Amino acid sequence: MAENREFMNRRLHSLLGVIPIGVYLVQHLTVNFFATRGAEAFNAAAHFMENLPFRLFLEIFIIYLPILFHAIYGLYIVFQGKSNTKRYGYFRNWMFLVQRITGVYLVVFIAWHVWETRVQAAMGAEVNYDMMADILSSNFMLIFYIIGVLSATFHFSNGLWSFLVSWGITVSPRSQQIATYATVAIFIALSFVGMGALLAFINPDLANI
């Protein structure tokens, strides 16, 4: 019974990492990328998201609760420390390690990001271009966010590869190799979008892509 529960928890953990968390990551980075078109474009996109119907319901049940479960169970997996040396090759062992390092980092990063944005918004602050530009004006926070964005894009992309394997979608070595190329491309594309947004907040001229 305990083994079946752990199996189901791991499957749910993997699924939530892709749907809805991965989908939300893509959407969130896309909205942020509007900053490359200037403050007005970003504010308009952010305002549109703020005024979605049933926003609070969507945030709680589609974003916060799935992220909370994924984070808590992910930390449980990390600190179990089970080796995967027999299951994966050398490259995948490195990906296994980085996946867990980025997961721990993201727990801290997301908690802080939510505090700086959503919690502050609940206390009356306006989440807009100026807020993000002010946050990223600190060199420490800029580095913190760069690492956070790259951790998020890697964690999602590599997690997508693991999802395809664990759910039996990519079974053969050939299909897993193709999935590796595809997820690397996804990582590069999402990182480009994320870094472009950060550039736009710190220097609009540099981010005129």
Side-chain angles (χ1 to χ4, degrees), residues 9-79:
N9 284 337
R10 285 179 177 266
R11 292 290 290 267
L12 179 60
H13 175 264
S14 175
L15 178 62
L16 290 178
V18 177
I19 304 170
I21 298 172
V23 174
Y24 173 69
L25 172 66
V26 174
Q27 175 267 320
H28 191 55
L29 291 175
T30 301
V31 170
N32 288 348
F33 196 69
F34 275 87
T36 62
R37 301 181 181 179
E40 290 186 6
F42 173 79
N43 290 340
H47 182 71
F48 173 80
M49 298 304 301
E50 288 284 338
N51 289 281
L52 284 176
F54 311 109
R55 179 179 63 84
L56 184 59
F57 174 87
L58 293 173
E59 287 184 338
I60 293 174
F61 292 99
I62 305 299
I63 302 173
Y64 297 138
L65 289 181
I67 288 178
L68 189 61
F69 174 84
H70 190 81
I72 292 173
Y73 197 75
L75 290 175
Y76 166 75
I77 293 173
V78 168
F79 291 112

Side-chain angles (χ1 to χ4, degrees), residues 177-208:
Q177 184 180 41
I178 293 173
T180 296
Y181 295 144
T183 53
V184 167
I186 290 171
F187 167 68
I188 293 172
L190 291 180
S191 297
F192 174 83
V193 172
M195 292 302 102
L198 292 180
L199 267 179
F201 287 122
I202 63 172
N203 191 329
D205 294 332
L206 291 178
N208 188 21

